[in-house]
Amino acid sequence: MAKLKIGFIGCGGIANQKHLPGMSQQTEYVDLCAFCDLIPERAEKAAKEYGTPDAKVYTDYHELLADPTIDAVHVLTPNIAHCEITVAALEAGKHVLCEKPMAATPEDAQKMLDARDRTGKMLTIGYQYRHFHENAVARKVVADGWLGDIYYAEATYLRRRGVPTWGVFTDKSKQGGGPLIDIGTHALDNTLFLMNNYDVDYVVGTSFEKLGRLLTPDVQGQNNWMGEPDHWNNETYDVEDSAVGQIKMKNGAVINLRASWAMNMAEKAGCDNQAHTLLCGTKGGLDTLEGRVRLNHIVANEQTISWVGEKIRGYIPGFSQGPAPLSKEHDIWVKALRGEGELFVTADQAFVVTKILDAIYQSSRTGQAIKF
């Protein structure tokens, strides 16, 4: 089989942290041959570091999509542009891996689904937490029936002071929201996946716009560990800094979702700055807080704690120290492109995540529960 030709639309942070290093491990099967960014220097740098000798550089994604030799593209832009570019790529006959979240609104996400169905091309979303070792183990624990009927879950991604101050993260017009849509989306996606339950009844929630406009992040005790303090502008910060939501499923199960970039809590207060899940069932429970699966169940009428699987973080090559582990996300993607396997993250699943996040924002604005 000839090598697949891959293009990248957006050559900023997530491209360099995850997608370019991950796909560079797949060059036995793919050529990274097209790079597009509104800032030409970014595209040129990516092409030089990761591209084929004849890789092309663009500032207009329409020109990249006009190349009939491109088989698939990665859409790695601010959230608000995911829909427009993904639909155009699908219509141009390209398969698409779009970075999370699927879209800024459910309406945009629906347009992406419609384009996928209309064109017959593959569409997947970049939820890499599903590929983490502990979550693969947790999925098997649930599938093997150790928890019984899961009726309560917590999806958590909390930072005390972790506001991304580069790019457009704090610009609502380009991102659609703050930590809920940025990192809470990972925790929610993984929890729904582990439960294998996407049938939502209603959603209620609240988002808070408090600390983002109050903090002075270069003051001792308020320091922000993500990005430079002078990039944090209190006057232009217009997204939430934390959010909570409760999702009631049609089978009666409840998921509590919490996400924050800035919250006055003790460091490590119930979190390790990673998306994690707590599941409670009729036979037992588990959590993935420390990068491993901690199973609690009853043995000989006594509560027993079992650690299942090794503590292994990774599968994001750009964040790894030393030799990068194989990016499972990109390995599965390339196999699917070659017709050797199925997509692991479906756009239909990601659509439900997008609808839930939007419902939390709606509930916060209206003070009402949002029926699905």
Side-chain angles (χ1 to χ4, degrees):
M1 181 183 291
K3 284 189 176 182
L4 296 161
K5 296 186 179 298
I6 310 297
F8 299 86
I9 301 175
C11 298
I14 199 63
N16 287 279
Q17 292 165 351
K18 183 175 73 159
H19 292 272
L20 293 173
M23 289 298 284
S24 71
Q25 298 173 326
Q26 299 291 328
T27 51
E28 178 181 352
Y29 308 108
V30 302
D31 284 333
L32 312 186
C33 58
F35 301 83
C36 179
D37 199 281
L38 292 174
I39 301 174
E41 292 80 10
R42 284 182 179 173
E44 291 164 0
K45 179 176 181 292
K48 182 178 180 180
E49 292 183 9
Y50 294 99
T52 57
D54 60 347
K56 296 180 180 178
V57 171
Y58 304 89
T59 55
D60 184 341
Y61 76 84
H62 294 96
E63 295 179 5
L64 184 154
L65 296 179
D67 183 346
T69 69
I70 300 294
D71 297 293
V73 297
H74 290 216
V75 177
L76 313 174
T77 63
N79 300 339
I80 202 72
H82 285 183
C83 173
E84 175 187 319
I85 298 173
T86 295
V87 169
L90 293 168
E91 296 285 7
K94 321 300 183 188
H95 303 293
V96 177
L97 190 167
C98 179
E99 183 50 40
K100 63 78 193 167
M102 183 174 180
T105 68
E107 292 77 17
D108 280 352
Q110 183 64 59
K111 292 176 184 177
M112 295 163 70
L113 288 180
D114 292 343
R116 177 204 62 181
D117 295 342
R118 189 165 57 247
T119 62
K121 294 300 177 180
M122 287 189 291
L123 171 62
T124 188
I125 310 300
Y127 282 114
Q128 74 268 9
Y129 272 81
R130 290 197 195 182
H131 303 285
F132 283 13
H133 175 75
E134 68 268 24
N135 294 323
V137 171
R139 174 78 173 197
K140 189 173 189 311
V141 169
V142 172
D144 287 348
W146 285 93
L147 304 192
D149 177 27
I150 300 171
Y151 57 88
Y152 177 75
E154 293 181 1
T156 306
Y157 202 146
L158 298 174
R159 296 175 184 161
R160 182 179 186 277
R161 298 288 187 271
V163 180
T165 55
W166 64 90
V168 297
F169 282 96
T170 60
D171 184 342
K172 189 174 183 178
S173 68
K174 294 183 174 61
Q175 287 295 92
L180 183 64
I181 201 171
D182 175 43
I183 56 178
T185 190
H186 275 304
L188 177 58
D189 171 75
N190 193 60
T191 300
L192 293 170
F193 177 67
L194 292 180
M195 296 173 70
N196 193 27
N197 186 351
Y198 292 86
D199 294 324
V200 181
D201 186 6
Y202 65 85
V203 175
V204 63
T206 301
S207 61
F208 300 99
E209 298 180 5
K210 302 290 186 181
L211 302 186
R213 296 177 180 177
L214 292 176
L215 295 177
T216 305
D218 57 349
V219 173
Q220 187 67 30
Q222 297 186 2
N223 292 336
N224 182 52
W225 62 269
M226 295 192 73
E228 298 298 324
D230 59 0
H231 293 169
W232 184 332
N233 187 329
N234 301 86
E235 295 181 2
T236 61
Y237 190 112
D238 69 347
V239 296
E240 83 278 2
D241 41 65
S242 59
V244 296
Q246 185 174 89
I247 302 104
K248 182 70 177 292
M249 313 303 286
K250 288 183 179 177
N251 71 347
V254 171
I255 302 171
N256 276 328
L257 172 62
R258 300 179 296 161
S260 74
W261 282 341
M263 180 177 281
N264 284 324
M265 61 183 189
E267 294 285 359
K268 305 295 182 182
C271 74
D272 60 354
N273 188 39
Q274 295 284 354
H276 66 269
T277 295
L278 167 71
L279 301 177
C280 299
T282 53
K283 293 182 179 179
L286 68 76
D287 65 68
T288 60
L289 179 59
E290 297 181 21
R292 294 167 64 188
V293 174
R294 180 170 56 181
L295 173 65
N296 71 86
H297 52 129
I298 304 298
V299 176
N301 295 321
E302 295 288 341
Q303 182 190 36
T304 301
I305 303 297
S306 302
W307 291 96
V308 186
E310 299 177 4
K311 183 174 183 178
I312 303 175
R313 279 282 182 194
Y315 314 127
I316 311 180
F319 287 110
S320 302
Q321 300 298 318
L326 176 69
S327 170
K328 288 191 174 181
E329 179 178 16
H330 299 104
D331 186 51
I332 290 171
W333 171 231
V334 171
K335 281 185 170 65
L337 291 173
R338 289 170 54 82
E340 298 173 354
E342 300 294 325
L343 294 176
F344 193 63
V345 181
T346 73
D348 300 275
Q349 294 166 339
F351 176 67
V352 175
V353 175
T354 300
K355 284 190 67 177
I356 292 173
L357 299 179
D358 184 73
I360 292 174
Y361 287 131
Q362 283 190 57
S363 180
S364 184
R365 290 193 300 269
T366 65
Q368 304 294 317
I370 305 302
K371 186 77 173 178
F372 259 54

